Amino acid sequence: METAELLRRAAGLVPETARSAAGFGAADVLDCLRDDDWDLALAILEDVDGFGWQTVEYWDLLEEAARHLHLERRAAWCRWRGWETRHGVIRADLRLIAPEAGGRRLPIPGDGLLRPMWAIGRSAFDLHVAKIWVESAPGLEPGGRGAVRLAPLTPPSWRHLTPGDSITMHERPPVAGTATITEVWHPEAARPGVAGGADPHRGPRK
């Protein structure tokens, strides 16, 4: 399928009243496609708000369009959002331990490559894996602080978390960082027995 058709199909899934943060909607995407401005059309579709109507199909179309445009990080982001559509959203404010206090000495890559262990409140020894996506930045520097999204390997184990909860990140002793949960959203599709959702724990599509 050609890039324009992928974006056109995605635009067809956007409700008439849905808008991006800048106020753009599906009609604006179609205007971009008439001008062959595929990059802007993709950007609008990525930014249109609405957990309630977005589907795995929607994000699959955007992921494929981003790959056609050789925008690999944005393709990875669309795959991540497809996974969140299936399993839910966990956002947090992550503060890393400074290197001089035993924290990591390399930045956290921003696009979901790192999968550390997390103590999520039930027990200091009850650790669970989750990938990290750093929001609005290519990465998080050692000792830094920033907004992140988490993709757990076992999402049901994390569903007790609510905004304000504190969890700790572990790579090796001591603790690597502390995160405060800022947003949690559990979709209908997160219930057992409902299919769908690309997995950000797998590698990129070939």
Side-chain angles (χ1 to χ4, degrees), residues 100-187:
E100 56 269 22
R104 62 183 291 119
R105 298 184 178 277
L106 296 175
I108 291 178
D111 49 0
L113 296 177
L114 188 69
R115 52 172 76 191
M117 305 288 288
W118 299 84
I120 57 177
R122 290 171 174 166
S123 165
F125 303 100
D126 184 21
L127 300 178
H128 298 263
V129 175
K131 283 186 148 186
I132 302 174
W133 187 284
V134 180
E135 295 190 311
S136 304
L140 189 59
E141 294 299 316
R145 177 180 179 180
V148 300
R149 301 170 92 102
L150 303 177
L153 187 63
T154 55
S157 300
W158 294 63
R159 289 185 189 147
H160 66 286
L161 293 175
T162 60
D165 287 346
S166 180
I167 62 177
T168 53
M169 172 180 159
H170 300 259
E171 294 182 280
R172 55 181 178 79
V175 170
T178 301
T180 301
I181 303 300
T182 58
E183 181 183 355
V184 177
W185 176 74
H186 299 307

Side-chain angles (χ1 to χ4, degrees), residues 7 10 14 17-26 29 39-51 53-54 58-59 62 74 77-78 81 135-136 149:
L7 295 170
V14 178
T17 57
R19 293 289 183 271
S20 70
F24 297 120
V29 172
D39 195 328
L40 180 56
L42 174 63
I44 293 172
L45 290 168
E46 287 176 300
D47 194 43
V48 174
D49 191 29
F51 286 131
W53 62 265
Q54 290 169 349
Y58 178 78
W59 290 110
L62 297 190
R74 287 168 68 180
W77 169 242
C78 293
R81 291 301 307 277
E135 295 190 311
S136 304
R149 301 170 92 102

Side-chain angles (χ1 to χ4, degrees), residues 5-123:
E5 181 60 21
L6 290 164
L7 295 170
R8 188 173 290 108
R9 289 195 180 191
L13 299 175
V14 178
E16 186 177 346
T17 57
R19 293 289 183 271
S20 70
F24 297 120
D28 300 293
V29 172
L30 298 179
D31 286 342
C32 291
L33 295 180
R34 280 189 284 270
D35 294 334
D36 293 332
D37 194 345
W38 300 340
D39 195 328
L40 180 56
L42 174 63
I44 293 172
L45 290 168
E46 287 176 300
D47 194 43
V48 174
D49 191 29
F51 286 131
W53 62 265
Q54 290 169 349
T55 62
V56 174
E57 177 191 4
Y58 178 78
W59 290 110
D60 281 350
L61 289 166
L62 297 190
E63 179 188 352
E64 192 63 24
R67 291 201 180 283
H68 283 203
L69 296 171
H70 307 290
L71 301 170
E72 294 302 321
R73 179 177 169 85
R74 287 168 68 180
W77 169 242
C78 293
R79 182 170 69 250
W80 185 283
R81 291 301 307 277
W83 186 91
E84 287 184 336
T85 299
R86 168 68 171 91
H87 294 286
V89 175
I90 301 175
R91 300 178 67 210
D93 177 35
L94 174 61
R95 186 191 297 271
L96 297 178
I97 301 300
E100 56 269 22
R104 62 183 291 119
R105 298 184 178 277
L106 296 175
I108 291 178
D111 49 0
L113 296 177
L114 188 69
R115 52 172 76 191
M117 305 288 288
W118 299 84
I120 57 177
R122 290 171 174 166
S123 165

